[in-house]
Amino acid sequence: MSEERSLHFLEEIIEADLAAGKHNSILTRFPPEPNGYLHIGHAKSICLNFGLAQKYGGATNLRFDDTNPVTEDTEYVESIKEDIQWLGFSWKQELYASDYFEQLYQFAETLIQKGLAYVDDSTSEEIAAQKGTPYTTGVRNKFSERTVEENLELFRAMRAGKYKDGEKVLRAKIDMASTEMLLRDPIMYRIKHAHHHRTGDQWCIYPMYDFAHGQSDSIENITHSICTLEFIPHRPLYFWFIEQLGIFPTVQYEFARLNLTYTVMSKRKLLQLVNDGHVNGWNDPRMPTISGLRRRGYTPESIRDFCDKVGVARRENLIDLGLLEFCVRNHLNKIAQRRMVVFDPIKVVISNFESKLEWLPTENNPEDENGGVRQVPFTKELWIEAEDFMENPPKKYFRLAPGQMVRLKSAYIITCNEVVKDAEGKVTQLNCTYLPNSKSGEDTSGINVKGTLHWVSAAHAVPVEIREYDRLFTVENPAAEEGDFKDFINPNSLHMISNAYAEPALAQATAVEHFQFVRKGYFKLDEDSTADKLVFNRTVTLKDTWAKTAQK
RNA sequence: UGGGUUAUUGUGUAACGGUAGCACGACAGAUUUUGGUUCUGUUUGUCUAGGUUCGAAUCCUAGUAACCCAACCA
């Protein structure tokens, strides 16, 4: 952390504002709509907003942008709060745009009184048609000529519930000829006779995003309102409302949202995956949601590190999934408990092993001096990984083969003497001998072997279920493909192994631990585990340079 | 046919007129009782064409490409 790092553009802006005395301290906000679960893209925004406030001694509000009751729900509110806290951030105040409904309503009346807003009876289609296109100018209709009194009366009647959904809207009177589509008399309020998750049936008119967000920022005295690039066209409107209302001038700044390869990052698409059953819920370990990543075994530290590494700028980007995986391996390598688990077992019989059982010490984490050791049982019959034996090995294959020696991790060097096959010629058992003087830690054999294998004593093996995950999509950027993004779902994104053999220590696994199954990858206990069967999710594989070498 | 935003190695991101750097990836080597980790080294880039300047990724001019804007979504 000692290396100099240049500031990104938002840090520069904040430092300039602070230096100029524009603000004494900064206040940011994270403004999710409670209509879905948070994903890794939100994590970038969370790290940015909370991180900036932390860095410059300010604070961050959590404000739910709950202006559309038909899509929003408290289920989402709860999940969002949990995810932010899990990521390691705490907000100054928990707020809701709906807290300001009365104030926003008064703001609307103010604008009506200033002759800057009017009630429009047009249909949605008519309004769209009158709005024009980006290339042609829009036209104003006769409703825009209503008097202040008439507008006030109508708007109050809207609030009072005199009209049905869609019958009328309140519009800002700005400029139907503006090259900015959003300035062509944007809708401020629409009628929705819908139950709101917080205000209940108190309201039947709800403000649009543009008439809620900027004013909410202003009411809270947010100094820097940070959002994504697609809101750039909203900025003139954001300022317009603040200026006309004469309220605290929060400034909006935009940055480029995070995109990740082999996944999708829109709540709409993620919702489809959930609803259509392509995944098992928002927290499916294959989802890019915070809850999915958490269940899969990602750590908050690794996600924060990732968000830090991707940077903050204003150009479109598509981040390599490999960077996220690098970050989680990097962290997990330091904290994960090592355990031995055989996924695809083949029997090894040590013919010259005379004692019944020997307990051998092995380190829990070679990266951690204080990680301690545990005992693993060694017996005559063991399981090793089927892929760790080859009858006719290629060059540089450092594993078991007829006549070839390997080290069993933390145990002895063994030699394969005999290959036992069944009627179909399938290898069923390997008869081996061990070198008694090659015991780990007290090896006097003088023999150096290249390969070290993980293994499990057959008599002590604990059957566990393993869930291996792969990328959710087969193409780098499914959202950019022609046609339905769901056509590119990876059919092999989940691979289950129902009977893997684990060393006995793993039976005591808890939900808070992260494991490295030696030579296999990083794993975490899944919530589907029962007393009878433990289930482990593969967070990420280990880097596998042998796989690359073997391919050549 | 309008307006806005953005262009630096395979992917991200710095350089604020003065040696194009960093991370991930890739490649090569060393260490290793995890073919993991760690360490060392190598590799590839300023969208194009002009111009200003002793000197341009940076300033100017003209192009090109990508993305966003025509929900009573946010």
Side-chain angles (χ1 to χ4, degrees):
Chain A
M1 287 290 113
S2 59
E3 85 269 21
E4 296 262 333
R5 202 178 145 169
S6 45
L7 303 177
H8 61 69
F9 76 101
L10 290 170
E11 292 170 326
E12 284 180 352
I13 289 166
I14 289 169
E15 293 200 358
D17 287 349
L18 257 15
K22 183 176 174 186
H23 308 292
N24 294 321
S25 65
I26 68 162
L27 218 210
T28 59
R29 104 268 90 117
F30 176 64
E33 184 188 12
N35 68 345
Y37 281 65
L38 260 26
H39 53 60
I40 183 81
H42 293 108
K44 177 177 177 182
S45 175
I46 290 168
C47 290
L48 222 204
N49 276 296
F50 285 90
L52 247 18
Q54 266 171 15
K55 177 168 182 178
Y56 294 104
T60 306
N61 285 342
L62 169 60
R63 183 179 68 241
F64 290 96
D65 229 331
D66 55 350
T67 57
N68 186 3
V70 300
T71 59
E72 296 155 6
D73 197 274
T74 49
E75 176 200 349
Y76 299 123
V77 170
E78 294 312 312
S79 75
I80 288 167
K81 287 161 65 177
E82 185 188 356
D83 288 347
I84 298 170
Q85 287 171 322
W86 178 76
L87 278 173
F89 297 104
S90 24
W91 48 87
K92 184 184 180 202
Q93 292 188 83
E94 176 186 335
L95 300 164
Y96 295 79
S98 54
D99 295 340
Y100 312 131
F101 278 174
E102 182 60 38
Q103 171 78 78
L104 293 169
Y105 175 86
Q106 295 302 332
F107 283 154
E109 285 213 353
T110 301
L111 291 184
I112 293 173
Q113 253 140 4
K114 289 179 78 174
L116 294 171
Y118 61 95
V119 173
D120 192 334
D121 302 358
S122 308
T123 64
S124 180
E125 296 71 28
E126 285 165 344
I127 289 177
Q130 291 157 8
K131 190 165 275 183
T133 72
Y135 316 108
T136 59
T137 177
V139 288
R140 228 171 226 158
N141 61 36
K142 60 178 183 194
F143 300 112
S144 65
E145 289 151 27
R146 294 216 252 231
T147 63
V148 168
E149 292 67 32
E150 197 182 351
N151 282 318
L152 226 36
E153 189 183 327
L154 257 15
F155 186 49
R156 286 170 183 167
M158 280 169 64
R159 175 179 184 169
K162 293 232 173 89
Y163 308 108
K164 292 198 280 290
D165 288 10
E167 239 181 288
K168 287 179 165 46
V169 291
L170 182 71
R171 291 229 256 170
K173 197 170 187 175
I174 307 180
D175 180 7
M176 288 305 285
S178 174
T179 52
E180 305 274 6
M181 295 301 290
L182 279 149
L183 258 21
R184 321 246 265 226
D185 291 11
I187 293 169
M188 295 162 58
Y189 270 91
R190 76 285 218 199
I191 299 169
K192 277 179 192 282
H193 291 272
H195 188 83
H196 187 280
H197 70 106
R198 294 192 81 241
T199 59
D201 298 313
Q202 200 182 329
W203 294 86
C204 63
I205 57 171
Y206 293 93
M208 297 285 290
Y209 165 85
D210 287 300
F211 197 67
H213 201 100
Q215 289 94 311
S216 300
D217 285 341
S218 178
I219 290 167
E220 294 170 23
N221 282 342
I222 300 297
T223 55
H224 303 262
S225 177
I226 299 164
C227 61
T228 48
L229 253 28
E230 66 267 29
F231 289 94
I232 289 174
H234 295 250
R235 197 185 330 128
L237 182 54
Y238 183 103
F239 286 139
W240 190 87
F241 282 130
I242 283 178
E243 200 182 336
Q244 298 305 327
L245 261 6
I247 54 180
F248 180 83
T250 302
V251 182
Q252 170 182 310
Y253 300 95
E254 312 86 9
F255 72 100
R257 71 181 327 144
L258 171 74
N259 296 295
L260 241 198
T261 54
Y262 301 107
T263 190
V264 289
M265 208 69 86
S266 89
K267 278 196 272 187
R268 207 193 95 251
K269 291 194 174 74
L270 294 174
L271 182 63
Q272 271 187 67
L273 294 177
V274 172
N275 286 344
D276 299 354
H278 293 107
V279 295
N280 303 312
W282 284 98
N283 71 338
D284 186 297
R286 293 166 291 182
M287 291 280 272
T289 50
I290 307 294
S291 52
L293 292 166
R294 176 168 60 230
R295 185 173 173 185
R296 180 146 165 179
Y298 275 76
T299 59
E301 291 89 338
S302 63
I303 293 175
R304 279 190 256 124
D305 183 35
F306 172 73
C307 290
D308 186 57
K309 281 187 162 63
V310 297
V312 180
R314 279 169 71 88
R315 54 186 114 111
E316 298 281 341
N317 59 78
L318 181 61
I319 309 286
D320 190 342
L321 179 61
L323 184 62
L324 218 209
E325 296 186 335
F326 165 81
C327 291
V328 75
R329 283 192 189 107
N330 200 25
H331 184 223
L332 256 19
N333 177 49
K334 297 185 188 89
I335 64 161
Q337 299 280 307
R338 271 59 177 184
R339 295 290 184 270
M340 291 197 284
V341 180
V342 174
F343 287 25
D344 180 15
I346 183 170
K347 175 80 62 81
V348 164
V349 176
I350 317 281
S351 52
N352 62 338
F353 188 73
E354 302 300 344
S355 59
K356 259 185 117 162
L357 167 67
E358 190 175 352
W359 289 90
L360 302 166
T362 187
E363 68 237 313
N364 285 321
N365 186 349
E367 304 299 316
D368 180 1
E369 283 178 16
N370 306 314
V373 296
R374 67 184 186 286
Q375 306 293 321
V376 288
F378 187 83
T379 57
K380 193 182 182 78
E381 294 199 3
L382 311 170
W383 297 115
I384 67 162
E385 213 68 69
E387 66 174 17
D388 285 339
F389 171 80
M390 275 185 98
E391 203 168 6
N392 301 298
K395 266 178 283 181
K396 294 206 179 171
Y397 184 81
F398 305 144
R399 306 179 187 183
L400 204 56
Q404 203 160 304
M405 283 194 273
V406 288
R407 156 85 53 192
L408 292 179
K409 170 80 180 161
S410 298
Y412 298 92
I413 292 173
I414 61 169
T415 312
C416 177
N417 306 306
E418 188 188 3
V419 181
V420 183
K421 297 180 187 176
D422 62 15
E424 280 95 55
K426 187 172 173 263
V427 178
T428 56
Q429 182 174 314
L430 303 171
N431 291 333
C432 304
T433 50
Y434 83 118
L435 266 43
N437 62 350
S438 66
K439 185 170 171 176
S440 282
E442 40 198 87
D443 185 350
T444 56
S445 69
I447 295 172
N448 236 331
V449 292
K450 274 268 188 166
T452 302
L453 307 185
H454 62 283
W455 52 276
V456 169
S457 163
H460 300 81
V462 178
V464 297
E465 179 177 317
I466 303 289
R467 296 180 184 171
E468 297 181 313
Y469 302 102
D470 196 357
R471 48 187 63 153
L472 231 195
F473 290 89
T474 55
V475 293
E476 280 205 333
N477 192 359
E481 295 288 335
E482 300 215 355
D484 190 349
F485 76 100
K486 295 197 289 314
D487 294 344
F488 301 94
I489 291 176
N490 178 5
N492 305 312
S493 59
L494 168 61
H495 179 234
M496 303 221 318
I497 298 165
S498 52
N499 252 304
Y501 291 132
E503 63 167 287
L506 199 63
Q508 272 75 53
T510 63
V512 295
E513 290 169 290
H514 294 271
F515 296 100
Q516 183 197 102
F517 294 170
V518 176
R519 300 208 303 138
K520 284 301 198 178
Y522 295 99
F523 291 82
K524 180 136 198 299
L525 194 66
D526 187 74
E527 61 193 34
D528 286 347
S529 295
T530 64
D532 300 333
K533 190 68 153 266
L534 297 182
V535 178
F536 290 92
N537 292 320
R538 184 173 72 193
T539 310
V540 67
T541 61
L542 254 29
K543 226 169 113 183
D544 190 354
T545 49
W546 166 243
K548 257 183 266 177
T549 312
Q551 264 182 8
K552 291 175 192 168

